[in-house]
Amino acid sequence: MYKNCLILFLTLLTSGLVTAQANILNAKTAEDIGKKNEQQLLADNDGPIPYGYVDDRDVMWSKVVWEFVDLNQKINLPYYFPIDTTNISPDRRSLFDTLVKGIRQGKIEDAYSDSFFTSKITQDEIESRLVNIREENGFTDTYNLQAEDIGGYMLKGMWYFDKRQGEMKYRLLAIAPMGKDVQSIGVEGVEDESLYELFWVFFPSVREVLHDSKVFNPMNASHPISYDHLLNARRFSSVIVREENIYGNRSISDYVRGNSLFQLLEADKIKEDIRNREIDMWNY
């Protein structure tokens, strides 16, 4: 598990130059900045690291968990910024803007209403959750859900022990932005701070889109990090809110009610159980 994270971390540090910085030292005009020359295009085979094939017979143990990534935490800020894109290169966008842009451009073809992928939602349905047009006193106001209105992300993933590799691994399966209710934005007297699942996407199908969008690397601006790298390397802080269980996959808040501290303790208990599984596999 930790070896894979280290490999992914080293890989993202040696990834290709960000598009906005491409050819900056060879540009003869400002318009040439960001445009790759013919040699660069031929040599550019950058893409998401492909997942290896995992035979079901090699999975000795697995558990699916749902986690909440709170964007108020400092380590998660790369998924939140930039919220003002006025003076930012077009390849740097927040994770929310990246997903929405991919859907609107048709690069992300399928979105779902839940994490079990039981029902697809159309682009019009997604737009109804992102845009609200209201008419008042003969005037029309348009309210858009912005990156600053996204408070976090729900992640669905599987921890599994691969007996062929002899280690515990994690595979991210789905992701959903958690935002405000666009119908309540701008309504006088209504202060709804609750977060709602806007849509779910199957993560393996959106890796190309997430790889093309770069995150600012504070350690080295010449070597950016993609959202695909960040998420696969689990470079975020999260809290488990649900695990698959016999009770219909109920969430922690369904059976630990009204006490946030006890809910966190239950989440840590689930996380510790996952960690101990790998150790237990080597005990005879």
Side-chain angles (χ1 to χ4, degrees):
M1 175 171 60
Y2 301 105
K3 181 176 68 175
N4 289 344
C5 291
L6 177 60
I7 293 174
L8 283 171
F9 177 72
L10 292 175
T11 302
L12 63 87
L13 287 180
T14 57
S15 59
L17 296 179
V18 68
T19 304
Q21 298 295 323
N23 205 38
I24 190 171
L25 298 179
N26 300 313
K28 293 181 172 56
T29 65
E31 287 75 15
D32 291 337
I33 298 176
K35 296 180 180 178
K36 295 183 179 181
N37 57 42
E38 185 176 352
Q39 290 77 15
Q40 288 173 317
L41 291 173
L42 290 174
D44 187 7
N45 59 353
D46 189 29
I49 301 175
Y51 290 145
Y53 175 75
V54 181
D55 195 304
D56 290 339
R57 293 172 296 182
D58 293 331
V59 179
M60 292 186 64
W61 175 89
S62 68
K63 179 182 287 290
V64 175
V65 296
W66 288 257
E67 302 169 88
F68 177 68
V69 177
D70 188 353
L71 294 184
N72 288 315
Q73 297 192 30
K74 185 176 181 180
I75 192 175
N76 297 330
L77 291 182
Y79 301 97
Y80 180 70
F81 288 103
I83 55 175
D84 183 2
T85 59
T86 305
N87 297 315
I88 299 294
S89 58
D91 62 315
R92 277 189 58 198
R93 291 293 182 266
S94 67
L95 179 56
F96 173 71
D97 286 338
T98 300
L99 291 173
V100 172
K101 181 180 178 181
I103 291 174
R104 287 173 173 168
Q105 291 183 343
K107 294 180 180 179
I108 299 177
E109 298 180 354
D110 297 324
Y112 301 85
S113 60
D114 58 69
S115 61
F116 297 97
F117 319 116
T118 55
S119 60
K120 294 182 179 181
I121 54 178
T122 65
Q123 186 168 334
D124 290 338
E125 290 176 304
I126 295 176
E127 290 294 336
S128 68
R129 303 180 184 187
L130 304 179
V131 182
N132 181 25
I133 301 176
R134 289 202 298 268
E135 293 186 9
E136 297 180 1
N137 302 323
F139 296 94
T140 301
D141 293 324
T142 301
Y143 298 89
N144 294 280
L145 208 63
Q146 306 288 344
E148 60 188 21
D149 299 315
I150 304 302
Y153 289 89
M154 284 293 296
L155 305 180
K156 177 186 177 181
M158 174 186 286
W159 288 97
Y160 64 96
F161 188 85
D162 189 334
K163 70 178 182 181
R164 186 177 295 275
Q165 300 290 334
E167 60 182 341
M168 185 75 76
K169 295 183 178 181
Y170 175 80
R171 180 69 60 86
L172 182 56
L173 300 176
I175 182 171
M178 301 286 290
K180 298 178 181 178
D181 182 6
V182 71
Q183 303 297 327
S184 66
I185 296 178
V187 179
E188 186 176 354
V190 177
E191 296 183 3
D192 186 4
E193 297 299 326
S194 301
L195 299 178
Y196 304 90
E197 298 173 0
L198 300 176
F199 55 84
W200 284 89
V201 292
F202 185 56
F203 181 76
S205 68
V206 302
R207 292 188 64 202
E208 288 284 351
V209 173
L210 297 181
H211 180 79
D212 291 338
S213 186
K214 306 301 181 182
V215 183
F216 179 73
N217 184 354
M219 304 300 295
N220 188 347
S222 295
H223 293 277
I225 309 169
S226 73
Y227 285 120
D228 179 65
H229 284 143
L230 280 180
L231 290 167
N232 275 303
R234 289 188 59 84
R235 297 209 29 207
F236 52 79
S237 175
S238 64
V239 176
I240 295 176
V241 296
R242 179 190 297 183
E243 64 171 334
E244 58 178 356
N245 53 61
I246 194 175
Y247 305 103
N249 298 330
R250 65 180 182 180
S251 63
I252 293 176
S253 60
D254 289 336
Y255 62 94
V256 181
R257 300 176 181 271
N259 193 314
S260 299
L261 176 59
F262 285 176
Q263 291 174 2
L264 287 175
L265 292 175
E266 179 67 15
D268 286 339
K269 180 182 177 181
I270 296 173
K271 185 182 296 184
E272 191 66 22
D273 177 67
I274 294 173
R275 290 173 177 171
N276 291 336
R277 284 287 178 173
E278 183 173 22
I279 299 175
D280 294 341
M281 291 295 179
W282 296 103
N283 291 334
Y284 296 95

